[in-house]
Structure formats: C-alpha cells, structure tokens
Amino acid sequence: MSDTFSPEKRSWIMSQVRSQNTTPEMLIRSLTHRLGYRYRLHSENLPGKPDLVFPSRRKALFVHGCFWHGHDCSRGARIPKSNSKYWIKKIGRNKERDQENKKLLESLGWSVLVLWECQTNDLDNVKIILEDFLG
C-alpha cells in the first residue's frame, strides 16, 4: 500500500514527532515530582539518555512510546500498512538499541525502569511502580 500523503506532507508530519517532552513523559515527570522525587532530565552522559535520572539513587527511568519502541500492547504491535518493511526494521533496531542501553547502564551500576506510554492510562498503578522502584 502506498502512502496517502505526498512526500512533502509526510516529511512535515514526521518532523512534528517529538522524542523528548512527550505527553506520557510529562505525565510521569509530573507524578514523580508530586511524589517528592527530584531528578535530572535526559542525561547525555549516560547510555540511551534516560528520560529521568536519579543520580543519588543510581536509577534511570525511560518513558517509551509503545509504537516507537515496539511494546507488546495493541498500539505497539501495530505496523503501518504503507512502507511496512521500513517500519519493521526501524522498530526492531529501536528495540535492540533499548536493550543495549539497558545492559550498559546496568553494567555501570544503574538500575533501570521502563514505563510504557500505555501504562500512563493508569497513573495509580504507575505511582505504585515508581514508589517501589525509587524506594
């Protein structure tokens, strides 16, 4: 199936996709702050530039979009009908990179938590997960 948009329109649409300060990330940041935890954002000196970093606790938190990181939920399992080979390869590479970054962080003594976009639909559950992770 071919793309329904012109290449110029598709390019503009894709340029509007953000990798930082996304809605799920902002929800997690707000919740974490309300719980009393303070953090650093997008630490560039750590593998994978975690979304939230708690340096004194040596904990790193990633907030992954279900589609972009290939979650096994209904949204994450969806593959676009157009240019599907490209998307399968891209999302597969994202998943590999996520695993590599997690292993690197753990080898440096960091604990890693991944929260998925779909989990932000139940912030009460996320609160429990965060409190358990951050202690």
Side-chain angles (χ1 to χ4, degrees):
M1 175 183 220
S2 64
D3 199 347
T4 56
F5 296 106
S6 69
E8 295 81 19
K9 179 71 174 175
R10 174 60 62 196
S11 178
W12 181 83
I13 291 170
M14 296 309 293
S15 74
Q16 301 303 304
V17 177
R18 295 177 293 161
S19 63
Q20 295 181 349
N21 305 323
T22 61
T23 299
E25 185 182 323
M26 297 305 284
L27 286 170
I28 299 300
R29 283 164 47 178
S30 175
L31 176 61
T32 305
H33 193 272
R34 278 185 275 134
L35 290 171
Y37 299 104
R38 299 300 178 255
Y39 47 81
R40 299 283 179 254
L41 296 175
H42 312 116
S43 184
E44 293 192 17
N45 59 346
L46 291 175
K49 292 190 280 182
D51 296 312
L52 281 73
V53 176
F54 305 86
S56 63
R57 300 168 192 268
R58 292 195 68 80
K59 302 209 178 213
L61 194 155
F62 290 93
V63 182
H64 285 338
C66 294
F67 172 75
W68 297 103
H69 295 270
H71 191 221
D72 57 3
C73 69
S74 60
R75 182 174 182 154
R78 188 176 56 193
I79 300 293
K81 292 177 183 169
S82 64
N83 210 7
S84 59
K85 286 183 183 175
Y86 167 81
W87 287 109
I88 290 169
K89 184 177 176 183
K90 176 167 182 54
I91 292 168
R93 178 64 190 128
N94 287 349
K95 290 169 77 171
E96 287 175 18
R97 189 174 50 242
D98 292 341
Q99 286 301 314
E100 291 168 7
N101 289 330
K102 184 179 179 194
K103 285 181 185 174
L104 279 170
L105 281 167
E106 289 172 344
S107 72
L108 295 171
W110 289 78
S111 298
V112 178
L113 174 67
V114 175
L115 290 173
W116 294 94
E117 176 184 7
C118 61
Q119 288 179 291
T120 61
N121 294 330
D122 183 0
L123 288 179
D124 290 335
N125 189 42
V126 171
K127 178 182 172 188
I128 294 168
I129 294 169
L130 283 172
E131 288 175 332
D132 185 51
F133 178 66
L134 297 171

